[in-house]
Amino acid sequence: MRNTELIELLQSTVDVKRLIRKLKFSLDDLENAAEQQPSLRLEAGKFRAQLALEKGSIRRRLARQVGKQSLKLRRDGDYKTEGAIKNKLSQDTKIQRLQKQFDTLEVYSDFAHDLHSAYTERSMAISMLTRLRASEMSSHLNAVKGDEEVESMSKKARHLSDKYGELED
């Protein structure tokens, strides 16, 4: 996979509502849930990666804006101390807007992490339920096999009983 293909893949939209809806699955549809799990988990990871890229971009834009503004304030000479420069920067509307975007992306990143973790746990649940279902099937097969053996032994016992009865007559 070339780098451009990976970038295109990461830039494609993620239906977050669909991912949340798909977290639940029916035990009756365990096979379908297991089949969909890898692609859903990958999509949750893609959402997480997209937010990480966007968060990094906003972080760099915020740092660049703070740097430019603080240099301008120092050059102008109106603000000489770090505290005064920091206070003035905190009032800058562009910096406030970028900080708000960054804070929002941090919350979204936490959510994306939790969503990815939920899909990891979903994967473990599917695996455990699949093993449990296989074990139940094995037990059921053994029980059926045991019932067949009991029936076969009963037939033999009846046959021997009939033969013994014929000998007594």
Side-chain angles (χ1 to χ4, degrees):
M1 180 178 274
R2 293 188 321 254
N3 199 21
T4 55
E5 291 172 334
L6 182 59
I7 290 170
E8 286 176 14
L9 176 71
L10 284 174
Q11 289 177 343
S12 63
T13 58
V14 174
D15 187 351
V16 178
K17 287 181 181 179
R18 179 180 157 269
L19 281 174
I20 292 169
R21 279 191 317 269
K22 289 285 191 170
L23 272 171
K24 287 184 178 180
F25 62 91
S26 167
L27 286 177
D28 297 333
D29 200 18
L30 185 60
E31 185 177 325
N32 190 36
E35 201 173 282
Q36 292 178 346
Q37 177 64 20
S39 62
L40 290 170
R41 187 165 179 221
L42 184 63
E43 195 170 355
K46 181 171 78 170
F47 177 59
R48 189 174 171 195
Q50 287 174 346
L51 287 174
L53 288 169
E54 193 173 345
K55 184 178 160 186
S57 175
I58 294 292
R59 181 187 300 124
R60 287 186 302 278
R61 284 178 48 204
L62 178 61
R64 188 171 48 246
Q65 187 63 31
V66 166
K68 281 174 33 178
Q69 290 288 23
S70 63
L71 283 174
K72 184 179 182 297
L73 290 172
R74 280 190 184 90
R75 268 189 300 225
D76 291 348
D78 294 337
Y79 301 92
K80 298 192 188 291
T81 66
E82 285 297 315
I85 292 171
K86 190 174 181 180
N87 286 338
K88 183 64 178 170
L89 289 174
S90 69
Q91 296 172 1
D92 185 89
T93 55
K94 190 170 184 177
I95 289 175
Q96 285 178 349
R97 184 175 43 81
L98 287 170
Q99 185 63 53
K100 183 177 179 181
Q101 287 176 347
F102 180 77
D103 293 344
T104 301
L105 284 172
E106 274 193 320
V107 171
Y108 292 169
S109 274
D110 289 345
F111 175 77
H113 180 268
D114 290 345
L115 183 62
H116 192 263
S117 294
Y119 268 98
T120 299
E121 290 179 23
R122 182 182 190 265
S123 184
M124 290 186 289
I126 287 172
S127 177
M128 180 185 68
L129 290 169
T130 302
R131 277 187 257 130
L132 184 61
R133 178 142 313 157
S135 175
E136 286 174 357
M137 290 171 73
S138 178
S139 295
H140 183 68
L141 287 174
N142 286 337
V144 168
K145 192 176 179 182
D147 289 346
E148 288 173 359
E149 287 177 6
V150 167
E151 183 64 31
S152 174
M153 290 173 81
S154 293
K155 282 181 183 178
K156 285 180 185 177
R158 278 192 302 271
H159 180 70
L160 287 174
S161 177
D162 290 345
K163 288 284 187 185
Y164 184 71
E166 287 175 8
L167 289 175
E168 289 183 342
D169 291 334

